[in-house]
Amino acid sequence: MKNELALEFSCVTEAAALAAYKWLGRGDKNLADKAAVDAMRLVLDRVNINGEIAIGEGEIDEAPALYIGEKVGAGGEPIDIAVDPIDGTRMTAMGQANAVSVLAASDHNGFLHAPDMYMEKMIVGYEAKGIIDLDRSLEKNIISVAKVLDKKLSELTVVTLLKPRHEEAIKIMQDMGVRVFAIPDGDVVASVLTCMPDKNIDMLYAIGGAPEGVISAALVRAMDGDMQARLIPRNKVKGKGGDSEETLRIAQNEIERCEKLGIDVNRTLSLEDMAKTDEIIVSITGVTRGDLLDGVSRNGDLAQTETLLIRGKSRTVRRIHSTHFLSMRSEELRKIIL
């Protein structure tokens, strides 16, 4: 990919974050998500690429979305894109921390194409690369990571999501003496923190969305970490309806879609299965202030954003602090963000 595309992609996530800010703390996550989706689509369509959404979000919770297979861009280099216009829609709606807008881009066919469903994920930074194995128990993986990092179990920190489906895993880890950070939402941010050498997160284990999982894989590969994952039909996820007729119908649809895409839902996915090249660009812009980024701030016509821009080929991580004169945006974008 051309180097200049990185800055173009940062403009995309900045626009989505600015649009989401309009709905910050207003209690409606779908309106926030729709605004971010509309802004992201609008700015993407101005970038000189032949882009295709390899994986997007929306179908899993019937929210607005950029959909798998959707074409974006003004023409040019063929690029695959994985997006989450807002990772943390509920946090945005409630004015809580760590909501971000994120986009990952790669050369064509660089990402796993998978349905919007649940995904089990395990992530470590570069120091534990090659150690994790999702086919082994969580306990064995934790012991292996602690050993390679030369840490006692009591010194190990694992991040997960505070969801009913993780209650058993959290208890297992805490019984082992491991420090567990259970966050409400936002496993993309948690994935970055796991791979950042200056952050005290040793491992991520969670069941979340597949779109976030593919984006996390792009982040992890770009930052030289390691990840394994497994797609999970909805009826296998604790707290999602079990064997109810509706849940089984959704699960069967997910399995059929995986089969059409040539994906075996029973197979553990490696990092290279999900992010197939080092030619990756990831842009993450803060919507609300959090552990990774500052959120959007506005004062009249001026807005401030902070973006993390990651280039996999060069292993470069840049922080971009931007000031936006909102009245100078296009008329279409002003309608969304103001």
Side-chain angles (χ1 to χ4, degrees):
M1 282 182 290
K2 297 177 181 177
N3 289 333
E4 55 265 31
L5 285 177
L7 190 58
E8 297 275 12
F9 292 140
S10 71
C11 293
V12 174
T13 57
E14 286 172 353
L18 289 169
Y21 179 83
K22 178 179 179 179
W23 300 98
L24 182 65
R26 300 189 187 278
D28 194 323
K29 68 176 186 177
N30 282 340
L31 283 178
D33 208 17
K34 183 180 186 306
V37 167
D38 290 346
M40 184 171 273
R41 180 181 283 116
L42 180 66
V43 180
L44 265 176
D45 280 339
R46 296 172 179 170
V47 180
N48 291 323
I49 57 171
N50 278 316
E52 180 176 338
I53 303 300
I55 194 161
E57 188 182 31
E59 298 157 4
I60 202 165
D61 53 7
E62 299 181 350
L66 285 148
Y67 291 103
I68 297 169
E70 182 174 343
K71 307 297 183 183
V72 294
E77 190 175 353
I79 299 293
D80 274 9
I81 296 172
V83 294
D84 195 347
I86 306 177
D87 180 36
T89 52
R90 187 187 62 79
M91 286 121 71
T92 301
M94 302 307 294
Q96 296 173 338
N98 282 323
V100 298
S101 175
V102 58
L103 176 152
S106 77
D107 291 335
H108 186 51
N109 290 326
F111 292 139
L112 173 75
H113 289 238
D116 186 358
M117 57 191 291
Y118 284 95
M119 177 184 276
E120 184 180 17
K121 314 159 194 178
M122 187 174 289
I123 296 172
V124 290
Y126 71 94
E127 291 179 312
K129 192 173 182 178
I131 296 299
I132 56 174
D133 183 353
L134 202 53
D135 291 326
R136 297 188 303 165
S137 68
L138 178 58
E139 297 96 320
K140 288 182 178 178
N141 276 286
I142 287 172
I143 291 168
S144 295
V145 171
K147 183 176 180 180
V148 76
L149 296 180
D150 195 24
K151 289 186 174 184
K152 299 175 183 177
L153 290 177
S154 60
E155 297 172 331
L156 205 71
T157 302
V158 180
V159 63
T160 189
L161 299 177
L162 187 59
K163 305 289 185 182
R165 57 185 177 268
H166 294 135
E167 289 174 354
E168 183 179 347
I170 291 171
K171 185 177 187 306
I172 287 171
M173 291 187 284
Q174 290 177 336
D175 286 348
M176 293 175 72
V178 172
R179 181 183 294 112
V180 179
F181 290 169
I183 60 177
D185 292 291
D187 47 337
V188 170
V189 168
S191 300
V192 182
L193 294 173
T194 302
C195 293
M196 294 284 274
D198 60 338
K199 304 296 183 183
N200 189 31
I201 304 292
D202 300 303
M203 181 176 171
L204 177 147
Y205 175 77
I207 296 171
E212 295 92 340
V214 175
I215 293 169
S216 292
L219 286 162
V220 172
R221 178 142 191 180
M223 299 176 76
D224 200 30
D226 199 8
M227 175 177 177
Q228 290 195 358
R230 186 184 294 116
L231 292 167
I232 307 178
R234 181 171 291 221
N235 65 313
K236 301 295 185 182
V237 179
K238 183 178 179 180
K240 291 300 173 181
D243 294 330
S244 72
E245 184 176 336
E246 176 65 11
T247 300
L248 290 173
R249 183 191 65 78
I250 294 172
Q252 184 58 39
N253 179 261
E254 291 170 341
I255 293 169
E256 289 173 358
R257 293 180 64 196
C258 284
E259 290 173 349
K260 288 180 181 178
L261 292 166
I263 301 169
D264 181 358
V265 294
N266 297 310
R267 187 172 74 86
T268 297
L269 300 168
S270 69
L271 178 61
E272 291 72 21
D273 289 327
M274 295 176 283
K276 303 172 185 179
T277 173
D278 286 329
E279 191 61 83
I280 291 170
I281 296 170
V282 183
S283 179
I284 313 170
T285 301
V287 176
T288 60
R289 182 182 296 272
D291 299 303
L292 183 66
L293 293 162
D294 282 338
V296 175
S297 62
R298 275 186 57 179
N299 182 12
D301 187 46
L302 295 181
Q304 307 282 338
T305 58
E306 185 179 24
T307 298
L308 203 66
L309 192 58
I310 304 167
R311 182 74 189 268
K313 192 172 183 180
S314 59
R315 296 280 189 269
T316 304
V317 180
R318 292 183 172 91
R319 286 185 183 271
I320 302 174
H321 297 267
S322 301
T323 299
H324 307 265
F325 289 82
L326 301 180
S327 61
M328 301 299 292
R329 304 303 93 185
S330 69
E331 182 179 353
E332 299 98 320
L333 190 56
R334 289 201 309 272
K335 289 179 180 178
I336 300 171
I337 64 179
L338 294 178

Short mmCIF file of all heavy atoms in Angstrom, two decimals, residues 19 34 61 80 108 124-125 136 138 172 201 207 213 219 225 237 247 259 262-263 268 275 297 302:
data_model
loop_
_atom_site.label_atom_id
_atom_site.label_comp_id
_atom_site.label_asym_id
_atom_site.label_seq_id
_atom_site.Cartn_x
_atom_site.Cartn_y
_atom_site.Cartn_z
N ALA A 19 -18.31 12.26 14.46
CA ALA A 19 -19.74 12.00 14.30
C ALA A 19 -20.32 11.33 15.54
O ALA A 19 -21.43 11.65 15.99
CB ALA A 19 -19.98 11.15 13.06
N LYS A 34 -24.84 4.77 13.86
CA LYS A 34 -25.25 5.17 12.51
C LYS A 34 -24.48 6.41 12.06
O LYS A 34 -24.03 6.50 10.91
CB LYS A 34 -26.75 5.45 12.46
CG LYS A 34 -27.24 5.82 11.06
CD LYS A 34 -28.72 6.10 11.02
CE LYS A 34 -29.21 6.32 9.59
NZ LYS A 34 -28.45 7.37 8.87
N ASP A 61 -25.86 -7.46 16.07
CA ASP A 61 -26.80 -6.80 16.97
C ASP A 61 -27.79 -5.93 16.21
O ASP A 61 -28.41 -5.04 16.79
CB ASP A 61 -26.05 -5.97 18.02
CG ASP A 61 -25.07 -5.00 17.39
OD1 ASP A 61 -25.08 -4.89 16.14
OD2 ASP A 61 -24.32 -4.35 18.14
N ASP A 80 -8.35 -4.28 0.98
CA ASP A 80 -9.34 -4.88 1.88
C ASP A 80 -9.39 -4.07 3.17
O ASP A 80 -8.35 -3.64 3.68
CB ASP A 80 -8.97 -6.33 2.20
CG ASP A 80 -9.49 -7.30 1.15
OD1 ASP A 80 -9.98 -6.83 0.10
OD2 ASP A 80 -9.39 -8.52 1.37
N HIS A 108 -5.29 -6.56 -1.07
CA HIS A 108 -6.46 -7.37 -1.38
C HIS A 108 -6.27 -8.81 -0.91
O HIS A 108 -5.19 -9.39 -1.07
CB HIS A 108 -6.73 -7.35 -2.88
CG HIS A 108 -7.99 -8.05 -3.29
ND1 HIS A 108 -9.21 -7.78 -2.70
CD2 HIS A 108 -8.21 -9.02 -4.21
CE1 HIS A 108 -10.13 -8.54 -3.24
NE2 HIS A 108 -9.56 -9.31 -4.15
N VAL A 124 -1.23 -12.29 22.97
CA VAL A 124 -0.07 -11.92 23.78
C VAL A 124 0.81 -10.98 22.97
O VAL A 124 0.69 -10.89 21.74
CB VAL A 124 0.76 -13.16 24.20
CG1 VAL A 124 0.00 -14.01 25.20
CG2 VAL A 124 1.16 -13.99 22.98
N GLY A 125 1.73 -10.31 23.65
CA GLY A 125 2.69 -9.44 22.99
C GLY A 125 3.85 -10.23 22.41
O GLY A 125 3.91 -11.46 22.50
N ARG A 136 -5.38 -25.81 23.96
CA ARG A 136 -5.09 -26.22 25.33
C ARG A 136 -5.98 -25.44 26.29
O ARG A 136 -6.64 -24.48 25.90
CB ARG A 136 -3.61 -25.96 25.67
CG ARG A 136 -2.62 -26.76 24.83
CD ARG A 136 -1.21 -26.57 25.36
NE ARG A 136 -0.82 -25.17 25.38
CZ ARG A 136 0.22 -24.69 26.04
NH1 ARG A 136 0.96 -25.49 26.79
NH2 ARG A 136 0.51 -23.40 25.98
N LEU A 138 -7.16 -22.92 29.34
CA LEU A 138 -6.77 -21.57 29.71
C LEU A 138 -5.67 -21.60 30.77
O LEU A 138 -4.70 -20.83 30.70
CB LEU A 138 -7.99 -20.81 30.25
CG LEU A 138 -7.77 -19.38 30.74
CD1 LEU A 138 -7.20 -18.50 29.64
CD2 LEU A 138 -9.09 -18.81 31.27
N ILE A 172 -11.45 -18.92 37.24
CA ILE A 172 -10.28 -19.78 37.07
C ILE A 172 -9.01 -18.96 37.23
O ILE A 172 -8.07 -19.36 37.96
CB ILE A 172 -10.31 -20.46 35.68
CG1 ILE A 172 -11.37 -21.56 35.65
CG2 ILE A 172 -8.93 -21.04 35.33
CD1 ILE A 172 -11.61 -22.13 34.27
N ILE A 201 -0.01 -5.18 30.52
CA ILE A 201 -1.00 -6.21 30.21
C ILE A 201 -0.25 -7.36 29.52
O ILE A 201 0.41 -7.16 28.50
CB ILE A 201 -2.11 -5.70 29.27
CG1 ILE A 201 -2.80 -4.47 29.87
CG2 ILE A 201 -3.11 -6.80 28.98
CD1 ILE A 201 -3.61 -4.75 31.10
N ILE A 207 -14.26 -13.67 24.67
CA ILE A 207 -15.17 -14.02 23.58
C ILE A 207 -15.91 -12.75 23.22
O ILE A 207 -16.64 -12.18 24.03
CB ILE A 207 -16.16 -15.12 24.00
CG1 ILE A 207 -15.41 -16.42 24.32
CG2 ILE A 207 -17.19 -15.36 22.90
CD1 ILE A 207 -16.29 -17.49 24.94
N GLY A 213 -12.36 -9.12 16.25
CA GLY A 213 -11.30 -10.12 16.24
C GLY A 213 -10.36 -9.98 15.06
O GLY A 213 -9.13 -10.07 15.21
N LEU A 219 -4.03 -5.57 14.19
CA LEU A 219 -3.23 -4.83 15.17
C LEU A 219 -2.08 -5.67 15.71
O LEU A 219 -0.94 -5.22 15.80
CB LEU A 219 -4.13 -4.40 16.33
CG LEU A 219 -5.12 -3.27 16.09
CD1 LEU A 219 -6.20 -3.27 17.15
CD2 LEU A 219 -4.38 -1.94 16.11
N GLY A 225 2.89 -9.13 17.73
CA GLY A 225 2.43 -10.00 18.80
C GLY A 225 1.94 -11.32 18.25
O GLY A 225 2.30 -11.73 17.15
N VAL A 237 -22.48 -19.83 23.01
CA VAL A 237 -22.02 -18.72 23.84
C VAL A 237 -22.93 -18.58 25.05
O VAL A 237 -24.14 -18.41 24.90
CB VAL A 237 -22.00 -17.39 23.04
CG1 VAL A 237 -21.54 -16.24 23.93
CG2 VAL A 237 -21.09 -17.52 21.82
N THR A 247 -32.24 -18.84 18.74
CA THR A 247 -30.78 -18.93 18.84
C THR A 247 -30.23 -20.02 17.93
O THR A 247 -29.21 -19.83 17.25
CB THR A 247 -30.36 -19.20 20.30
OG1 THR A 247 -30.83 -18.14 21.12
CG2 THR A 247 -28.84 -19.28 20.41
N GLU A 259 -19.47 -22.03 6.03
CA GLU A 259 -19.24 -23.07 5.03
C GLU A 259 -19.12 -22.48 3.63
O GLU A 259 -18.28 -22.89 2.84
CB GLU A 259 -20.35 -24.11 5.10
CG GLU A 259 -20.30 -24.97 6.36
CD GLU A 259 -21.52 -25.88 6.50
OE1 GLU A 259 -22.49 -25.70 5.72
OE2 GLU A 259 -21.50 -26.76 7.39
N GLY A 262 -15.84 -21.13 3.10
CA GLY A 262 -14.75 -22.11 3.22
C GLY A 262 -14.08 -22.11 4.57
O GLY A 262 -12.91 -22.49 4.69
N ILE A 263 -14.83 -21.72 5.61
CA ILE A 263 -14.26 -21.65 6.96
C ILE A 263 -14.82 -22.78 7.82
O ILE A 263 -16.04 -22.97 7.89
CB ILE A 263 -14.60 -20.29 7.62
CG1 ILE A 263 -14.04 -19.14 6.79
CG2 ILE A 263 -14.06 -20.23 9.05
CD1 ILE A 263 -14.56 -17.79 7.24
N THR A 268 -9.12 -24.00 14.94
CA THR A 268 -8.48 -22.86 15.56
C THR A 268 -7.75 -22.04 14.51
O THR A 268 -7.00 -22.58 13.69
CB THR A 268 -7.49 -23.32 16.65
OG1 THR A 268 -8.22 -24.01 17.68
CG2 THR A 268 -6.76 -22.13 17.26
N ALA A 275 -4.88 -12.34 9.59
CA ALA A 275 -4.16 -11.21 8.99
C ALA A 275 -2.98 -11.81 8.22
O ALA A 275 -2.00 -12.24 8.81
CB ALA A 275 -3.67 -10.26 10.07
N SER A 297 -12.76 16.21 21.94
CA SER A 297 -13.17 17.39 22.71
C SER A 297 -13.58 18.48 21.73
O SER A 297 -13.02 18.57 20.64
CB SER A 297 -12.05 17.88 23.63
OG SER A 297 -10.92 18.28 22.87
N LEU A 302 -14.20 24.40 16.97
CA LEU A 302 -12.97 23.62 17.03
C LEU A 302 -13.19 22.29 17.73
O LEU A 302 -13.90 22.21 18.73
CB LEU A 302 -11.88 24.39 17.77
CG LEU A 302 -11.37 25.68 17.13
CD1 LEU A 302 -10.28 26.30 17.99
CD2 LEU A 302 -10.84 25.42 15.72
#
